[in-house]
Amino acid sequence: MGDLIVVLILLAIGYGFGSYAERQHYKSIREREKATLHVPIMTFGAKQSLPPAKETALFVGSVVVASDYFKTFALALRNLVGGRVLSYESLLDRGRREALLRMKEEAIAWGATELANVRINTSSLSQGGQGMISIEVIAYGTGIR
Amino acid sequence: MNMKYTPKEITEEVNVTPTHPLVNLGYLAGTVVVSLVAIYAAMGVAVDLVVPRLSRSTEIKIGDSLLPVAQDQFGGNVLADDTRVDYLESLAQPLIREELSDLPITIHLMDTEIANAAIIAGGHVFVTTGLLEESRSENELVFILGHELGHLANRDSLKSLGRSLFLLLGSLALGIGTQNGQSSPLLNTTLDFQSLHYSREQETQADRYGMILTIEQYGHGGYALDFFERHSAHEPSFIPEYVLTHPLSENRIEALELFAAENNWSLTGDLVPLPEGIECPNFDCGNE
């Protein structure tokens, strides 16, 4: 019974703080996406000729996002029956968009007019696949000005 | 390459399912909990269906794998070479009826002061030296052995394993944790003598079985219940272990007396004395 109460408290903490952080993060992501919308990012550019450019440079944006107890609990339960892990969909979505934004913001500061050959990689920072999971997302691309 | 780029704000969230996480977890937890409860309940029901269908050889295998654990939990050494074991076996032998004829009955004499007798599946009967010391007549011992044989005949020991039975059957099938002579943690969790508890119905059946065997042996039930009467008189100041694993109240003695009366069995008769030196190893008390 005591264990159950501890789990419930951890779930409440995880959900409370986790969903608050997620709301704040999405708010910030949407604002910054709007502000950086004028610079196109695209995936082509590898083994293709780049658009006419005076200068190019590599830009890397990387972010580490931690899961929370609620998300991990939901994942553990989901592992029993299989299916979509809803709570991790938003976590990975935030990670990808944040990494892209960091790359883009740096490129814009440099004066990029567009970003070509953009790639995204994800890795999980977990302890042997056990316990709480953090994800790292890295986005990189070629800035052109 | 010349394309016109028109900035477009992202308004749709295709990568995130628009279901509230709490609702999702609610359904998920509900599904998992309901399934687990259903499986747990099904296993509980299945025990009573499976136990009568187990073959003798499976029962013996289960008993052999549980034997080391049971001996550990009983405490005290196993007195394998004691001649009192032969005596107990000679007492038990005539009590073995047809339904148990294909089960080898093995008596394990445990060197401990606590008066106790118990069985595990596979025909293993445990008797403690404490029980021998506290016994006053052969009639008592025969009834106690008969009662334990009743549990064996009804497979109460297998039933009392409950859901652990499936764990055991699984580990037997896979050959894990059941090596002879080793008590593995897995088996320790499946057998727990301290919390061993038969249902009232099971005890009543075993009591009646013991009574029938006693009547067959002596033609009367005299002195057979004395052990219990002495111990129930001692309650509650002294509650022996035997009473703990076999909760025996005045009611059970009364029920047995009624059972005997219904069958016109006499509860009076001659006392068959125990052999000299039953309380000493090899009947040798060394007072020659």
Side-chain angles (χ1 to χ4, degrees):
Chain A
M1 196 61 207
D3 288 351
L4 190 67
I5 291 169
V6 170
V7 168
L8 287 176
I9 290 172
L10 287 173
L11 273 179
I13 291 174
Y15 182 72
F17 284 90
S19 57
Y20 176 76
E22 190 154 289
R23 274 198 305 278
Q24 296 298 310
H25 193 192
Y26 265 127
K27 207 174 143 203
S28 145
I29 286 173
R30 288 201 187 93
E31 281 167 8
R32 286 150 66 210
E33 276 178 347
K34 220 170 173 176
T36 58
L37 211 54
H38 62 281
V39 175
I41 52 177
M42 48 218 150
T43 54
F44 72 78
K47 299 177 186 173
Q48 288 158 331
S49 53
L50 284 171
K54 278 194 282 186
E55 238 181 311
T56 59
L58 174 72
F59 292 94
V60 179
S62 136
V63 63
V64 176
V65 195
S67 171
D68 57 55
Y69 193 87
F70 179 85
K71 285 182 193 302
T72 311
F73 183 82
L75 173 69
L77 272 189
R78 182 54 79 184
N79 274 337
L80 292 176
V81 292
R84 288 179 299 167
V85 188
L86 264 57
S87 59
Y88 272 72
E89 286 180 353
S90 58
L91 188 79
L92 282 153
D93 185 57
R94 278 160 58 203
R96 283 188 299 265
R97 287 161 83 170
E98 178 69 33
L100 279 175
L101 275 171
R102 288 182 181 183
M103 174 198 71
K104 216 174 163 184
E105 280 164 350
E106 212 194 332
I108 289 170
W110 173 75
T113 52
E114 52 196 313
L115 277 146
N117 199 12
V118 172
R119 298 287 180 267
I120 301 175
N121 285 339
T122 311
S123 60
S124 110
L125 310 178
S126 57
Q127 297 164 325
Q130 293 284 310
M132 305 292 278
I133 296 169
S134 298
I135 54 144
E136 192 228 14
V137 183
I138 184 170
Y140 52 92
T142 310
I144 297 164
R145 68 178 180 191
Chain B
M1 194 176 321
N2 283 307
M3 275 188 294
K4 183 161 166 41
Y5 171 65
T6 317
K8 184 178 162 289
E9 195 183 341
I10 303 169
T11 48
E12 70 281 3
E13 299 282 354
V14 289
N15 291 326
V16 178
T17 311
T19 307
H20 196 276
L22 281 180
V23 173
N24 185 244
L25 183 74
Y27 276 111
L28 185 58
T31 311
V32 170
V33 167
V34 166
S35 321
L36 289 181
V37 167
I39 292 169
Y40 193 75
M43 279 168 75
V45 175
V47 168
D48 289 338
L49 297 175
V50 165
V51 164
R53 286 175 174 77
L54 286 178
S55 68
R56 275 287 184 234
S57 61
T58 310
E59 183 185 348
I60 290 167
K61 266 188 218 159
I62 290 176
D64 288 345
S65 66
L66 288 178
L67 183 60
V69 186
Q71 285 172 341
D72 280 356
Q73 290 189 3
F74 238 93
N77 294 321
V78 191
L79 302 176
D81 299 326
D82 199 303
T83 49
R84 287 179 293 178
V85 177
D86 304 330
Y87 165 69
L88 286 170
E89 275 172 355
S90 71
L91 267 192
Q93 205 55 44
L95 303 177
I96 295 167
R97 298 166 91 200
E98 204 187 331
E99 63 265 25
L100 285 176
S101 57
D102 55 344
L103 186 68
I105 305 289
T106 321
I107 303 232
H108 304 271
L109 183 60
M110 308 302 291
D111 188 13
T112 165
E113 285 175 7
I114 302 160
N116 202 355
I119 54 134
I120 59 168
H124 298 284
V125 181
F126 296 90
V127 177
T128 66
T129 51
L131 181 75
L132 296 183
E133 281 162 30
E134 290 193 26
S135 298
R136 298 286 174 269
S137 70
E138 205 175 273
N139 310 59
E140 290 174 20
L141 272 184
V142 163
F143 175 75
I144 289 169
L145 286 174
H147 173 96
E148 297 303 332
L149 290 175
H151 281 312
L152 271 181
N154 295 327
R155 295 195 152 175
D156 290 341
S157 166
L158 284 173
K159 286 175 195 158
S160 74
L161 288 172
R163 297 172 175 91
S164 312
L165 178 68
F166 296 104
L167 189 66
L168 255 180
L169 286 174
S171 61
L172 276 174
L174 298 171
I176 48 169
T178 50
Q179 291 87 352
N180 275 339
Q182 283 183 339
S183 74
S184 81
L186 173 70
L187 292 176
N188 260 320
T189 59
T190 58
L191 183 77
D192 186 1
F193 264 129
Q194 310 309 322
S195 66
L196 180 66
H197 190 78
Y198 296 127
S199 73
R200 183 178 299 231
E201 177 60 24
Q202 287 174 325
E203 290 296 352
T204 307
Q205 291 303 323
D207 278 348
R208 292 184 169 197
Y209 196 92
M211 180 57 86
I212 292 168
L213 293 182
T214 310
I215 301 291
E216 281 177 0
Q217 184 74 357
Y218 297 116
H220 66 84
Y223 301 98
L225 304 178
D226 284 13
F227 182 88
F228 296 114
E229 277 166 5
R230 280 201 306 279
H231 282 301
S232 65
H234 281 149
E235 278 183 303
S237 56
F238 170 66
I239 303 173
E241 286 288 311
Y242 193 84
V243 177
L244 284 179
T245 46
H246 300 75
L248 191 115
S249 57
E250 293 286 346
N251 290 345
R252 269 176 66 192
I253 298 175
E254 278 167 24
L256 273 175
E257 285 168 353
L258 197 68
F259 180 60
E262 278 168 11
N263 291 283
N264 292 320
W265 291 331
S266 164
L267 284 180
T268 50
D270 294 334
L271 182 144
V272 180
L274 288 165
E276 282 286 317
I278 185 85
E279 66 276 15
C280 304
N282 301 313
F283 299 102
D284 182 9
C285 291
N287 49 357
E288 62 274 345

